[in-house]
Amino acid sequence: MLIDDETFTRLALEHGIELSDPSSPDADIALLVPGWPAANEYKVKVFPTRLTPSALRNVLGRNSPGPPTRLLLVVPSASKAFIDGARRDGVSVMIRPPDGRTPARSGYLIGDGGRILALESAPEPDAQPTRRPGPVPWSTFAVAFECSESGPRTQTQIAHKLGISQGGVSKAMHNISATRLTNVLTTFPKGAAQGDRNVEKDQLARLHNRHSPARVETLLNWLAASYPRSPRATTTWLTRENPNDTARSASALLAQRGIRHAVSGQVAADKLAPWARPQRALIWAEKLTDMSEASATPVPAQDANLILAVPEDPHLLRTIDDEQQPPILPPVRVWLDLIRDGDDQAADALKAHLLKWRSA
């Protein structure tokens, strides 16, 4: 369960809460609450299932940030016992209903000096928790993206590009092979000597034959069905500029503040495979920030032409080309964002471009 597009916009419109830049590396967001003397910084942790009071202790043990940063938990529901325990430990809670549509407005924020802002409804009665799912295999998805976005590579090359170990790449290959995509992900044999250029050259020729458009399309379909594309947190804004100019202005502001980021969605797709005039700009960034200096105003998602999103995927912003201005996500990741946003025709145009490039 992840924070939806309207969460922080609703906080701004209904409670007057404004975003500010956090100073601590532990913090994801800083919030200016009316009546509070200074911004409070929060590390945000989102959980897809209900947490028990006993599970709270484990969460605090793994995730408690150092001062001045506080912990903000986003959960689909919460019992009174859980709320009471979290409040005693100084932990803020947002309740995000499990229907996937209702914005996270329930819960409370705790600030400096014991200040508490109630956001909305009371907690629900105690109930049996559902089983917690396992961790998302981000490294496996990162390797799949790399194999879909580039030609054949050695496991060492992929590991270096993604910043993970060669063993992690090998494990990811095994995980994806278990989904019957064995022939899509092909690398050099482990027995090939690192300096044996003849072996590498011969193997590379065979690998190019196996990375055909049909096999790449199979991998793209698997990513579309399996990759969790919802953001960790988002804010939605409106500017007077067109989306292309908005993306450039927002990118310049983020770069000025030293925030790693990349443009995706319609604006990026228009640069990669022009199809239709973009209607909104999507920017992935390592943290949220106030975009008012880019002449942006917080608005509900349906009125926005700028979306600033923080990814759950730790590999997403490691794949960008920093020399490009503004920086743009790799094409396959842009394609998935188009699908997530319901831009099916733009997604189809970009997919055709990707497969045509593969067949060239």
Side-chain angles (χ1 to χ4, degrees):
M1 188 64 59
L2 299 164
I3 299 178
D4 64 287
D5 289 354
E6 295 195 18
T7 296
F8 293 109
T9 300
R10 291 291 184 94
L11 291 179
L13 296 176
E14 297 178 9
H15 299 280
I17 297 173
E18 298 179 4
L19 282 171
S20 181
D21 292 325
S23 59
S24 170
D26 288 338
D28 295 310
I29 58 172
L31 299 178
L32 285 164
V33 178
W36 292 10
N40 284 258
E41 302 187 356
Y42 298 92
K43 178 180 180 180
V44 182
K45 298 299 294 183
V46 187
F47 295 88
T49 57
R50 179 188 181 94
L51 297 180
T52 64
S54 58
L56 178 63
R57 309 311 310 168
N58 294 330
V59 170
L60 294 179
R62 293 194 306 267
N63 300 287
S64 291
T69 305
R70 298 177 177 276
L71 189 60
L72 170 58
L73 304 181
V74 180
V75 295
S77 62
S79 67
K80 183 178 185 302
F82 179 85
I83 290 287
D84 291 343
R87 185 170 294 178
R88 282 194 302 269
D89 288 308
V91 176
S92 299
V93 175
M94 280 187 184
I95 300 172
R96 166 71 155 78
D99 60 10
R101 296 182 297 274
T102 308
R105 291 179 291 157
S106 305
Y108 61 89
L109 293 175
I110 295 181
D112 295 335
R115 296 177 179 83
I116 297 180
L117 173 68
L119 297 179
E120 204 176 85
S121 60
E124 62 183 51
D126 286 302
Q128 292 296 320
T130 56
R131 180 181 177 273
R132 294 183 64 184
V136 177
W138 294 118
S139 293
T140 297
F141 288 123
V143 171
F145 276 116
E146 181 63 19
C147 290
S148 65
E149 291 161 355
S150 63
R153 314 285 292 278
T154 67
Q155 290 188 5
T156 301
Q157 288 172 323
I158 294 175
H160 178 74
K161 170 80 176 291
L162 299 176
I164 60 180
S165 67
Q166 188 275 331
V169 174
S170 179
K171 182 179 179 181
M173 295 286 187
H174 175 77
N175 290 342
I176 299 177
S177 295
T179 67
R180 298 183 180 179
L181 293 174
T182 309
N183 292 330
V184 176
L185 297 182
T186 336
T187 60
F188 296 103
K190 292 182 179 179
Q194 291 183 353
D196 192 342
R197 299 299 179 186
N198 291 330
V199 171
E200 290 193 356
K201 184 176 180 180
D202 178 66
Q203 187 70 9
L204 185 62
R206 282 186 250 166
L207 289 174
H208 272 295
N209 292 332
R210 296 187 120 184
H211 281 248
S212 65
R215 296 199 185 281
V216 171
E217 185 169 17
T218 300
L219 183 55
L220 294 180
N221 292 338
W222 177 76
L223 283 167
S226 306
Y227 179 70
R229 298 184 299 278
S230 296
R232 181 177 183 178
T234 65
T235 52
T236 49
W237 307 81
L238 179 65
T239 73
R240 294 184 178 181
E241 298 178 316
N242 65 62
N244 286 314
D245 291 338
T246 292
R248 282 190 289 269
S249 299
S251 175
L253 179 61
L254 291 167
Q256 178 184 341
R257 293 177 176 176
I259 298 175
R260 190 167 177 80
H261 66 282
V263 177
S264 186
Q266 295 177 348
V267 171
D270 184 58
K271 293 182 178 297
L272 295 167
W275 177 80
R277 181 175 299 176
Q279 300 299 310
R280 58 188 173 276
L282 168 63
I283 299 181
W284 291 99
E286 61 187 353
K287 62 181 179 180
L288 297 177
T289 189
D290 184 4
M291 300 303 295
S292 59
E293 287 187 29
S295 301
T297 303
V299 295
Q302 64 269 21
D303 300 325
N305 68 345
L306 171 62
I307 300 170
L308 185 66
V310 178
E312 278 282 314
D313 185 346
H315 299 283
L316 186 143
L317 291 174
R318 296 176 184 171
T319 61
I320 62 176
D321 181 0
D322 288 319
E323 296 182 358
Q324 201 170 31
Q325 293 301 322
I328 294 177
L329 279 188
V332 174
R333 289 185 179 271
V334 173
W335 173 71
L336 281 180
D337 280 335
L338 293 173
I339 292 177
R340 167 181 170 265
D341 291 339
D343 296 325
D344 294 335
Q345 290 180 309
D348 290 343
L350 181 54
K351 183 178 180 181
H353 171 78
L354 291 171
L355 297 179
K356 181 179 179 180
W357 171 78
R358 274 312 188 108
S359 62

